[in-house]
Structures are given as C-alpha cells and as structure tokens.
Amino acid sequence: MTEAAELPPAPEQAREVFGDRFADAVRYAELLAETGVQRGLIGPREVPRLWERHLLNCAVLSEVVPEGVTVCDVGSGAGLPGIPLALVREDLKITLLEPLLRRTNFLTEVVELLGLDHVTVVRGRAEEVMGKLQPVHVVTARAVAPLDRLATWGIPLLRPYGEMLALKGDTAEEELKAAATALSKLGAVETSILHVGEGVVDPLSTVVRVEVGESPGGVRFAAKRAKAARTGRARRRR
C-alpha cells in the first residue's frame, strides 16, 4: 500500500492572499488532502502541490471578479475555484454547482465547517438548472471541459452583460480560437485572455474571459429561458 503524500506547510503567499481566512484555507487544504483523497475527489499525487497548483491558483481569480456580484461555479468538483474564491471574497454570493452526490456532500460539509454563509451548494447539471437558478453576473469554471462545450453550459446561466471566467492552462489561446464560432452563437460579444496572480503564483494563472451581450446563450437559449420562467411563475401561482 502506497503511503499517503503529506500536505506541505502553507507558503507565505497564502497568508497574504487569504488574510483573516488563512486558518480556514489551511483547514480546507487539510480536508482536500485527507477526505478529498479518500473519496476520490482529488488525486494523491496532487497533495504536495495543493497550495500552489490548486488553492492559490484559484484564489487569484478574485483579481478579475467584480465587487458584490453573484457567481456560479460550474462543475465545482472538490470546490475549485469556488471555495478559495469564497474565502478571499466575502462580498460575493457564490453557488457551487455540481452534479455528483459524493462531491456535493463534500462541498456541503466544507461550507458548513468553514462557516461560508455566502455560499450555496446545488446538485445538478448546468443544463438542468437553467430557469431554476437566478441568472448570475459571473460564471466560473476550472478543468471542466473544452471551452466550446463549457460555454454551452455556463453562458446560459448568465445575466445579460455577464461574463464567464474559465481557468485554463497552456491551451487557452488555441481553445479560444477553436471556440470562436460557438461563442458567437451563444451571444458572446468580447473575449480575452488574462494572466493573474503576479507575486503569488508562478506561472501565473491563465483566465479566459467571455463577455456576453443582452442575450446570454443566444436565440436558442432565450426561448428555453422564457419557457422556464413561465413554468416557474405557474408553479408559484399554484
């Protein structure tokens, strides 16, 4: 039996990034390294690089999230990037959206343990919750799917003039080019690649930003959204 990898001490940058929530960030890292590995939510080989590759890499996304907005973290998994973002930004209202029960159970435990009152865990797929969740200002995602597929799930959850922020790696530019046509059909009006985390992570975290106009998801999803809204109103009248 292979001996479990040991979680390294938190780097000094973590104290600066998480501030008053540093102790909670440490507890979250411990939960990922213990319970997360035991339940198969994160690979044991990731434990030695949890801080740099996962927690800090995700926390610096906060640099490009506007103040006081609503956020939906699509395919949240073990809570990345949603939980680190929530620890850094208590001004945000964050929904962690995840279809698998064992993951939502873990997320609920983390949210309750860390007292993240501004975070809600929802079990479901993005295409299933459209019209049930209030549209949000920002959709976040990390390692969920290629950009074109991710956009079909995330963009319809946005409010008009909202934005999707996807943490990507070296393939960001290629994915953005390949997804150009799909993004346009989904109502995207502007795209860009951002690099965040100067002085915190090396290499910098790469973020693909997709901004939408007045019809997130395009014509196809506008009809779905209207139908979902009518259904919701009918249920409330009963």
Side-chain angles (χ1 to χ4, degrees), residues 147-224:
L147 188 61
D148 55 350
R149 202 183 329 153
L150 173 62
T152 64
W153 301 333
I155 287 180
L157 301 178
L158 289 170
R159 294 167 46 132
Y161 308 104
E163 60 185 350
M164 183 175 73
L165 300 172
L167 279 161
K168 289 288 182 179
D170 297 336
T171 62
E173 193 168 337
E174 290 82 356
E175 283 194 51
L176 190 51
K177 287 179 182 177
T181 300
L183 292 175
S184 179
K185 289 180 180 178
L186 287 166
V189 295
E190 191 168 340
T191 61
S192 54
I193 295 177
L194 312 172
H195 298 283
V196 296
E198 184 73 44
V200 178
V201 289
D202 184 18
L204 299 178
S205 297
T206 301
V207 181
V208 175
R209 171 187 269 161
V210 179
E211 300 172 70
V212 300
E214 61 182 15
S215 298
V219 176
R220 174 185 165 200
F221 287 98
K224 283 189 174 183

Side-chain angles (χ1 to χ4, degrees), residues 131-147:
K132 299 175 184 177
L133 290 182
Q134 284 293 319
V136 296
H137 298 92
V138 177
V139 162
T140 59
R142 178 179 187 254
V144 174
L147 188 61

